[in-house]
Amino acid sequence: MKPNADLSQGRYLLFLDILGFSELVETKGPKEIYSIIDNALQAFGRWEELNGLFKTIYFSDTFLFYQAPKGYGSWAFLDIYAIGGMVLSALLAAGVPARGAISFGEFEVDFDSTGRHHVYFGKALIEAYKAEQREKWIGITIMPSAWKPYEVEEPGIINAFAREKVWLKREDGVLLLNPFIKLRSWYLSALMGEVNKPYSQWDAPDFPNEILGFKFLRETAASYIAKNDFTSPAAIKYHTTIRFLECIQGEDLYAWGEQAALPSNF
């Protein structure tokens, strides 16, 4: 099915927020904060160069990763959720929690009349911002506006991907993205001895990032448990995320992800 007139004017957008940024500013020095932001921008910049069809806007604690050419394409949907997962993994590997949402729709980007400032606005941005703010976890949600055009082209594909543990589909139609794409894809190969150790050098930087990002989430959740903290806003985010990962990965993959981070493997 070819995109209709409305889809031809839309763009895919990932809205990603660094969590706890205000606390970082209050407790860390300028150089450390700059390093966190710079590393995040490098992760996005890497995919801008590799892909060539997405761009990044950054302000304060927020990153907008958007499709440069207008118009729906299945390639853009497949790219933005995969890239989103790998960027999130890179942030987690550096100990930086983040939360985001992917939407599709109107998003305008242009210079002002002086050519000095970027002006950007649109329904896709508002939808993604509101969606991100509603969630109580560390991860990326995919809105129906983003996945439904792809489902029209490939009926049944969204549920098929859910069976492959790419995401979980919630009752409200929102998809909860599994960010650990490489961890999932290399699992069976590793069991058959086809993935060389140390894992820190295999399929770098994405596979090592996922191992370290997964480890960061587990260890941070465990630190809240050690303090008997199950209900503070910060603790809830980590406990919810770990429960999600236990559900989507299953017992065996979850256990292997833990083992992958051991010094003898990593």
Side-chain angles (χ1 to χ4, degrees):
M1 176 179 176
K2 294 182 179 180
N4 59 31
D6 293 330
L7 295 182
S8 70
Q9 296 303 305
R11 285 185 166 116
Y12 275 101
L13 170 74
L14 166 64
F15 182 100
L16 193 70
D17 255 354
I18 294 176
L19 299 176
F21 190 74
S22 296
E23 184 179 352
L24 282 176
V25 173
E26 292 172 354
T27 59
K28 306 295 183 182
K31 289 184 178 179
E32 189 170 354
I33 296 169
Y34 175 87
S35 178
I36 291 170
I37 296 169
D38 188 57
N39 288 338
L41 286 171
Q42 286 184 39
F44 280 107
R46 173 174 173 251
W47 285 106
E48 283 187 51
E49 292 180 6
L50 291 173
N51 183 278
L53 294 171
F54 285 87
K55 294 184 178 181
T56 307
I57 296 172
Y58 163 74
F59 57 97
S60 186
D61 58 350
T62 300
F63 301 87
L64 302 179
F65 189 67
Y66 69 95
Q67 174 188 337
K70 287 185 178 182
Y72 166 77
S74 58
W75 61 268
F77 173 68
L78 295 171
D79 285 353
I80 198 165
Y81 85 71
I83 293 171
M86 285 185 275
V87 168
L88 176 59
S89 296
L91 290 174
L92 294 174
V96 179
R99 183 177 62 215
I102 294 172
S103 62
F104 177 83
E106 170 194 302
F107 181 61
E108 298 297 324
V109 182
D110 207 342
F111 284 103
D112 69 350
S113 58
T114 68
R116 296 167 53 201
H117 307 286
H118 264 119
V119 177
Y120 46 91
F121 59 90
K123 294 177 181 177
L125 175 57
I126 294 172
E127 180 186 23
Y129 166 74
K130 289 182 176 180
E132 183 271 329
Q133 291 290 301
R134 285 194 297 266
E135 301 299 330
K136 305 298 181 184
W137 73 326
I138 298 162
I140 294 173
T141 52
I142 304 174
M143 307 311 294
S145 66
W147 64 259
K148 282 189 173 181
Y150 186 53
E151 174 76 8
V152 170
E153 283 191 346
E154 302 284 346
I157 193 68
I158 298 302
N159 288 335
F161 278 11
R163 290 191 293 271
E164 295 175 9
K165 308 302 183 183
V166 176
W167 45 59
L168 293 181
K169 186 177 180 182
R170 213 161 56 188
E171 288 186 354
D172 61 359
V174 172
L175 305 180
L176 307 178
L177 180 65
N178 180 358
F180 300 128
I181 299 168
K182 299 288 187 175
L183 200 65
R184 174 173 53 86
S185 63
W186 287 118
Y187 171 54
L188 292 178
S189 297
L191 292 183
M192 293 185 289
E194 297 176 358
V195 177
N196 295 332
K197 298 178 184 178
Y199 293 150
S200 58
Q201 297 179 23
W202 182 266
D203 195 11
D206 301 312
F207 183 51
N209 279 345
E210 294 195 7
I211 294 173
L212 293 176
F214 184 34
K215 180 182 179 183
F216 166 73
L217 291 173
R218 295 194 317 273
E219 291 183 344
T220 307
S223 72
Y224 283 109
I225 292 174
K227 295 182 289 186
N228 293 323
D229 185 354
F230 300 93
T231 58
S232 70
I236 287 172
K237 293 183 180 71
Y238 285 94
H239 297 322
T240 301
T241 304
I242 290 299
R243 184 61 185 136
F244 162 74
L245 292 172
E246 289 173 341
C247 289
I248 198 166
Q249 291 180 346
E251 184 177 346
D252 292 340
L253 177 54
Y254 190 95
W256 180 73
E258 291 179 307
Q259 294 295 313
L262 295 176
S264 58
N265 293 322
F266 192 76

